[in-house]
Amino acid sequence: MAIVVNLDVMLARRKMRSKELAERIGITEQNVSLLKSGKVKGIRFDTLERICAVLDCQPGDILEYRADTDERGDDTTTRSAGH
């Protein structure tokens, strides 16, 4: 996956448990768990905004882009079709 969710890192930095975050942003603890594991396909901007407000961070502290690499370690996004 090219987008990595670092919510667990931010929770650890703020010494906060998933349960407390869930209560403060108004979603279930299960949904926080799914976010932390990266098993979601998207996140609503209003949810991201509430997370950032509670954790006093920026969206980039939670979401990170990593280029996909193939088995040789080459960046697959830079190769053109047919090569």
Side-chain angles (χ1 to χ4, degrees), residues 21 24-27 45-55:
L21 178 65
R24 292 180 64 181
I25 65 174
I27 66 173
F45 282 153
D46 63 329
T47 302
L48 183 58
E49 181 180 354
R50 291 193 309 266
I51 291 170
C52 289
V54 169
L55 295 179

Side-chain angles (χ1 to χ4, degrees), residues 18-19 21-23 25-35 50:
S18 297
K19 182 177 182 178
L21 178 65
E23 290 171 355
I25 65 174
I27 66 173
T28 66
E29 192 174 352
Q30 175 66 26
N31 282 338
V32 171
S33 178
L34 289 171
L35 280 169
R50 291 193 309 266

Side-chain angles (χ1 to χ4, degrees), residues 1 3-5 32-41:
M1 174 189 273
I3 301 295
V4 178
V5 180
V32 171
S33 178
L34 289 171
L35 280 169
K36 282 175 39 178
S37 68
K39 293 183 180 177
V40 296
K41 297 292 181 189

Side-chain angles (χ1 to χ4, degrees), residues 72 74-83:
R72 297 177 306 197
D74 293 338
D75 182 354
T76 58
T77 59
T78 60
R79 286 186 286 147
S80 60
H83 288 107

